Amino acid sequence: MDASQTAAYLRRLGTEAPARPTLDALRELHLSHLRAVPFENLSVHLGEEIVLEEERLFEKVVGARRGGFCYELNGLFGALLSALGYEVTLLEARVYGDGGVLGIPYDHLALRVRTVDRGDWLADVGFGAHSHGPLEFGERGDQEDPGGTFRIAEAERDAAGALGGHGTAPAAFLDVLCDGKPVYRVEPRPRVLADFVTGAWWHSTSPRSHFLRSPVCSRVTADGGRVTLSGRRLTTTAADGGREERELVSDEEATAAYRDLFGIRLDRVPVVPRR
């Protein structure tokens, strides 16, 4: 990512380049991203190809002012952080589903970010409702965040008997929990963006992918709440947990919501699949 692209990306986030790659700057960038760039799966329902190449992701997120899901958002955010002087590692994760069952390999992409002042952090701007700020990677106690109480813990044995870690050996897998519930399992081994192509393809095409169930668009609001459009249901959640829901009855209402609430201008609405 060159200097002009970096500047354009920062304008998209409504922030400026930090003087140094510090933790405070990472926190500001992380929250600004969650507020400005929505988590969305609209490409899947608009017939658009998901291409995990930095230039294509830049064209979509910055040029077209769209959002994306984890591979796109964290993949491009990682490139921005690298351009700003952070040391960034892409990590593979598997998301916990119903009944505590882990999803497919390369189910999710998260970031391990090293700052110049405060060590390693788990950054994730591509999961939807999650932590508002980066989590301390090496901390094994509770970490308070506006999104909940998070904890990074060494994983127990999985269904195949693989062990998370033992004694003083580095953990092979780490579980990220929110309010005591496991969210996803991270493998700390470094990856590259191309490693996630199969996961992106599966989530875009498999009948078992939850991304095919309905179009979703969601972002953090300025007051720390969240606004989400799932299909035609618009949900506004306040920072204190209060919720308001309503159904959008026309294409015009849906198009206006994408434009006014998420900054996404569409010439047609995503197709809501029949159940």
Side-chain angles (χ1 to χ4, degrees):
M1 188 174 295
D2 63 28
S4 64
Q5 291 176 317
T6 300
Y9 199 161
L10 291 170
R11 287 194 296 272
R12 171 84 168 97
L13 302 186
T15 188
E16 297 181 351
R20 298 171 65 238
T22 63
L23 172 58
D24 286 344
L26 175 62
R27 284 173 170 156
E28 180 180 350
L29 289 163
H30 196 281
L31 183 56
S32 295
H33 207 292
L34 293 173
R35 288 173 172 170
V37 183
F39 173 89
E40 50 105 331
N41 66 348
L42 304 185
S43 289
V44 174
H45 299 277
L46 291 169
E48 299 171 349
E49 185 181 10
I50 305 295
V51 181
L52 298 188
E53 297 173 359
E54 187 176 315
E55 286 294 330
R56 292 286 294 273
L57 297 182
F58 182 86
E59 291 171 5
K60 178 179 180 178
V61 174
V62 180
R65 300 187 71 82
R66 285 281 301 278
F69 48 34
C70 67
Y71 313 108
E72 301 168 289
L73 299 186
N74 283 327
L76 194 62
F77 188 49
L80 173 66
L81 294 177
S82 293
L84 294 174
Y86 292 94
E87 183 180 328
V88 180
T89 302
L90 275 58
L91 301 179
E92 181 266 340
R94 300 173 67 187
V95 179
Y96 280 94
D98 295 338
V101 177
L102 286 166
I104 63 167
Y106 298 95
D107 200 11
H108 181 60
L109 188 163
L111 303 173
R112 184 174 183 173
V113 182
R114 174 163 292 179
T115 68
V116 296
D117 56 345
R118 291 283 299 277
D120 289 349
W121 299 84
L122 180 70
D124 193 341
V125 297
F127 195 75
H130 195 58
S131 65
H132 291 197
L135 303 174
E136 188 171 359
F137 198 86
E139 172 60 50
R140 297 294 174 257
D142 289 344
Q143 301 187 52
E144 298 297 332
D145 181 272
T149 301
F150 289 84
R151 183 159 50 89
I152 300 175
E154 292 191 2
E156 301 294 334
R157 292 184 184 274
D158 64 14
L163 187 63
H166 58 279
T168 59
F173 300 99
L174 297 169
D175 279 342
V176 178
L177 300 93
C178 178
D179 297 331
K181 181 179 179 180
V183 179
Y184 56 73
R185 175 168 291 189
V186 176
E187 183 181 8
R189 183 157 56 117
R191 304 291 183 178
V192 296
L193 189 57
D195 290 337
F196 296 88
V197 169
T198 302
W201 174 82
W202 189 91
H203 278 298
S204 302
T205 61
S206 173
R208 297 179 62 184
S209 169
H210 63 275
F211 286 123
L212 293 184
R213 298 174 187 172
S214 175
V216 173
C217 193
S218 182
R219 69 172 180 85
V220 172
T221 54
D223 64 356
R226 179 172 288 276
V227 59
T228 301
L229 181 56
S230 180
R232 293 295 181 89
R233 175 166 294 181
L234 181 63
T235 303
T236 303
T237 306
D240 62 4
R243 292 165 60 94
E244 293 184 3
E245 297 185 3
R246 68 184 180 94
E247 292 289 330
L248 307 183
V249 298
S250 68
D251 286 356
E252 291 74 18
E253 275 191 294
T255 302
Y258 284 120
R259 181 191 64 233
D260 298 339
L261 298 176
F262 304 103
I264 296 177
R265 297 181 179 274
L266 300 175
D267 55 11
R268 59 190 174 95
V269 296
V271 176
V272 180
R274 292 182 178 272
R275 292 192 177 277

